[in-house]
Amino acid sequence: MAESTKTATLTIDGQSYDLPIYSGSVGPDVIDIRKLYGETGLFTYDPGFTSTAACDSTITYIDGGKGELLHRGYPIDQLAGKSHYLEVCYLLLYGELPSPEQLEDFESRVTNHTMLHEQMMNFFRGFRRDAHPMAVMVGVVGAMSAFYHDSTDISDPWQREVASIRLIAKMPTIAAMAYKYTIGQPFVYPRNDIDYASNFLRMCFAVPAEDYQVNPILSRAMDRIFTLHADHEQNASTSTVRLASSSGANPFACIAAGVACLWGPAHGGANQACLEMLQEIGSVDRIPEYIARAKDKDDPFRLMGFGHRVYKNFDPRAKVMKQSADEVLDLLGVENNPVLQVAKELEAAALADPYFADKKLFPNVDFYSGIILEAMGFPTSMFTPIFALSRTVGWISQWKEMISDPQMKIGRPRQLYQGETLRDYTDIENR
């Protein structure tokens, strides 16, 4: 961390305290309150940590007002338009875009670690057939620490590297097998002669009875979904991974904690909620009714997939995702899919309505990714697992950064206690 050049003065009951101010390379300055409790006996109060920086990082930067998302300084639209997922993984993990030789080596290491330990197949069969794929993923990812003992020592840089590659490589296999298990089809093993996104699609949709050829348009759309969800700064699941890792937990347990947090509908379930909304609307002729309901502040209905909590202008990922959505829908068509018909008409109606433009409620990445995944044939239960495998590299990058930080200490949030004060125990016969 750079030296503080400014201070903030906090005055409490006439007593003044000087607090250091630090400046990042971009973004708001931060007031250092680490010594606040020791000097004043007071905590700060910030539910949701909306005004608290819990770490310093060099990985991802978001400016919601500008609609800006940078990975290691590179705009997300450039990365998604010119690069591919594994190249972005390398960038997030190591800080720079790879040379051709570095990328070839990295892709080879990932490709050759995609298979799971064969005994893990028995672990899948311990779940009920109707288990949600995210429940399976939480269990299987956490169980990796029971199978890969040679990459759980977080104090060993080489073991951290091996764990990172294993997680990036095996997460698509785990997600695809969770899907296959819930639909009663046999597992499809990964292949080393096709790319990362195509391999995932093949593991999800191939069957042993016939050959499966991955359409390059669908593969590219899948790769963009992975890329656009690779990292998103200090969100709930990333903060969960960091908090879990602060205790010294092994990397597989930390990533499983991230998967569990991502499962929440307010986080990773947004694109599923969007598709469920489209299914609720049901037909194109009902769109005006739901547009009117969305404008009515007394109506609980909200347009899912429009606007974003972080981006106050527009979601920079949405433009790239819209391009993929258009390509996929042109390829697969929407004529026989009422949900996709509603999606296209709802997008057009909302973009043409000044109400939504004035409130900057533009379609976001969840709206378009949900449309793509629905068109590809994924059930909504698989949307969040796909998000989880996409975000794994972000979690790992943040985990590795935290483990290497000399300032790291176990997370211990404080509280504003409002319960009973000290009182004596009453024997049961006197209550």
Side-chain angles (χ1 to χ4, degrees), residues 251-300:
F252 305 111
C254 296
I255 301 306
V259 175
C261 180
L262 190 73
W263 195 355
H267 190 6
N271 51 9
Q272 179 173 339
C274 174
L275 256 292
E276 290 170 350
M277 174 199 71
L278 295 175
Q279 291 165 352
E280 178 187 343
I281 295 173
S283 61
V284 172
D285 61 323
R286 299 189 67 192
I287 288 177
E289 170 195 343
Y290 279 85
I291 289 283
R293 289 183 61 188
K295 295 179 182 180
D296 184 356
K297 64 178 192 246
D298 296 324
D299 193 307

Side-chain angles (χ1 to χ4, degrees), residues 97-254:
L97 289 170
S99 67
E101 295 77 19
Q102 290 170 327
L103 182 58
E104 182 179 1
D105 172 70
F106 180 71
E107 289 179 332
S108 175
R109 286 188 287 143
V110 171
T111 300
N112 287 293
H113 281 85
T114 52
M115 289 184 64
L116 296 183
H117 193 291
E118 191 65 18
Q119 283 184 286
M120 293 187 77
M121 305 306 167
N122 298 323
F123 198 80
F124 281 90
R125 295 184 176 96
F127 292 94
R128 282 175 47 138
R129 279 287 180 185
D130 59 356
H132 194 288
M134 282 295 278
V136 177
M137 288 189 71
V138 170
V140 174
V141 173
M144 288 177 70
S145 59
F147 292 87
Y148 301 105
H149 302 293
D150 60 342
S151 55
T152 57
D153 183 358
I154 66 171
S155 64
D156 184 340
W158 174 247
Q159 291 201 30
R160 296 201 298 266
E161 178 69 14
V162 172
S164 301
I165 296 298
R166 278 178 169 156
L167 280 160
I168 294 169
K170 298 179 191 304
M171 195 65 82
T173 309
I174 293 171
M177 287 183 171
Y179 172 58
K180 285 293 196 183
Y181 183 74
T182 59
I183 62 173
Q185 290 186 2
F187 296 145
V188 175
Y189 285 71
R191 276 176 41 180
N192 291 353
D193 60 339
I194 55 179
D195 65 84
Y196 191 87
S198 298
N199 212 357
F200 175 67
L201 289 172
R202 181 183 172 276
M203 287 190 290
C204 287
F205 296 122
V207 292
E210 58 187 48
D211 193 22
Y212 178 81
Q213 297 296 324
V214 181
N215 187 291
I217 293 177
L218 301 185
S219 177
R220 178 59 177 154
M222 192 82 258
D223 188 88
R224 280 180 170 168
I225 287 176
F226 293 162
T227 298
L228 293 170
H229 290 89
D231 193 51
H232 210 237
E233 211 211 69
Q234 306 307 317
N235 53 79
S237 58
T238 299
S239 299
T240 298
V241 171
R242 279 183 171 265
L243 190 60
S245 66
S246 75
S247 72
N250 72 74
F252 305 111
C254 296

